[in-house]
Amino acid sequence: VGSVYLGINKDKDGDWLDGATNYRLHVPPNAPAKQFWSITLYDVDTRALIKNGTDITDRSSVQDLVKNTDGSVDLYTGPKAPAGFEKNWIPTVPGKAWFPYFRLYAPTEAHFNRTWILPDFEKVK
């Protein structure tokens, strides 16, 4: 069955992911995972789970997330949760660089043939 790990260190603009910046990651509908998908944030310096003063370091499709009408999910990272999307937010720490792993558990063909693409993180203005 297996899993696939997708990782990135820069946002859509080519800038390093920064703990002081708010980002949105749009997870398109019908993620190619027979089991579930998840995202976890890690500290660049320690390569361990991000220490953000909370127990929130990940989000996944098995959680009670706010979904868009088309079944997609907008995930948020940053120092402050966006109003109405607290369930979809992972806190970050200003001055600390981080990186994510987005995992597909039991990935399906849509991942391998690239018909389903996970976009890059975008800065929230």
Side-chain angles (χ1 to χ4, degrees):
V1 174
S3 60
V4 171
Y5 288 49
L6 307 173
I8 193 164
N9 292 308
K10 294 184 178 183
D11 65 23
K12 182 179 181 178
D13 298 328
D15 298 324
W16 295 102
L17 295 170
D18 175 18
T21 303
N22 293 306
Y23 298 96
R24 177 179 71 99
L25 177 65
H26 180 75
V27 180
N30 305 312
K34 288 180 186 170
Q35 295 176 347
F36 66 98
W37 59 257
S38 73
I39 186 169
T40 306
L41 302 190
Y42 297 90
D43 183 296
V44 166
D45 293 329
T46 65
R47 312 294 285 176
L49 293 173
I50 190 170
K51 289 187 179 181
N52 57 22
T54 73
D55 291 332
I56 303 168
T57 59
D58 67 332
R59 293 294 183 206
S60 79
S61 60
V62 297
Q63 294 173 318
D64 181 26
L65 302 176
V66 176
K67 294 181 183 171
N68 300 316
T69 56
D70 67 354
S72 65
V73 174
D74 291 321
L75 299 172
Y76 295 90
T77 65
K80 185 171 165 92
F85 289 93
E86 294 82 0
K87 291 180 177 183
N88 295 30
W89 171 65
I90 304 172
T92 59
V93 178
K96 294 295 290 179
W98 57 274
F99 68 95
Y101 278 133
F102 188 93
R103 296 173 177 88
L104 299 169
Y105 291 91
T108 64
E109 188 61 27
H111 165 71
F112 297 106
N113 68 19
R114 299 188 55 79
T115 57
W116 185 90
I117 303 291
L118 183 66
D120 293 330
F121 280 85
E122 295 184 53
K123 292 179 185 85
V124 175
K125 305 202 181 341

